[in-house]
Amino acid sequence: MPRVLSCIQPTGSVHLGNYLGALVNWVSGQHDGDVFHGIVDLHALTVIDTPGLIGTQTLELAALLFACGLDPDVATVFVQSHIHEHTELAWIMECTVSFGELSRMTQFKDKSARREAEFVSAGLFTYPALQAADILLYDADEVPVGDDQRQHIEITRDIAVRFNHRFGDTFILPKAVHPKAGARVMDLQDPTSKMSKSATSDSGLVYLLDDNASISRKFKRAVTDSDSEVKYDIANKPGISNLLDILSASTGKPVGELVSQYSQYGALKSDTGDAVIAVVEPIRTRFQELMQDKGELARLLSIGNERARNVAAVTLQRAHNAIGLLPRI
Ligand code: TRP
């Protein structure tokens, strides 16, 4: 079974696009590989500086991942900052990557440009070295990522090749793979843009933890077009097509079958809202149970942390040995 690593930053609330587009596949794919899911809180520090916030967000994200159905006995869910090997290997990675390579990262160029008047941390610049450590520590064969992260997987491979060449074979070369395509979920108010937490307004975003009334309201107010034919046509009817995609992903019924069942927008909107509620309500209930039982949540998380730590410790030691650092006395 391939070792597969995915990581997610605990920034912002998880929305329906994250869930139907990716998380459902994490859950259904947990038996297809030896999967590791890191909550990368240290990466989020490159942009978060409010005291206390990151810990709460980390715990909530962990609870949500378990509530969605990741089984700690099958999938390894861990918190990056709880495994000290990440930051230790990250330093070694920083010494294996060049200033020039880091300067060419498009994500750094974009993010630092967007923060022009704000503080641009050195961490934002060395971020790919920490990400390389995340990946190489777990001997990951596959890293499912979107296009925005491909360059980071490439630089990880370059770092691994350089390290192995300098110090002898130590790291497995990871491969970026396309995540299994999930549903394409667009903003309900702007159905030509993906549902995304960087949207200017929240009104087109459905969060996994929204209450039922807000979910219904957001679907009832979803932007459609002025004619009244229910038809799947992404170019000309993006709003209706989005509703059909969401309804299909939430019920498991093919779009073709759904189209013929509706002649009015109103019914399609309210049924889509109901179908989404049927999917997210049990997740929200389980999430709330876990948040009220911090002992159980800590127990679930410690299963993954321990497994992750065992793998990471061996790899870091291998790197120390290859470099020839003086063994601990
Ligand atoms: N940089 C990734 C993102 O912004 C998050 C991430 C951190 C990551 N470490 C990783 C992704 C390791 C894959 C593997 O989405």
Side-chain angles (χ1 to χ4, degrees), residues 17 30 64 69-70 97 127 145-146 161 185 187 191 244 259-260 278 309 312:
Q30 61 186 324
L64 199 62
L70 284 179
V97 69
Y127 179 115
V145 286
V161 167
V185 177
D187 189 299
L244 287 165
V259 173
S260 58
R309 199 171 288 126

Side-chain angles (χ1 to χ4, degrees), residues 127-138:
Y127 179 115
L130 180 58
Q131 183 161 349
D134 299 339
I135 297 169
L136 299 180
L137 270 180
Y138 296 99

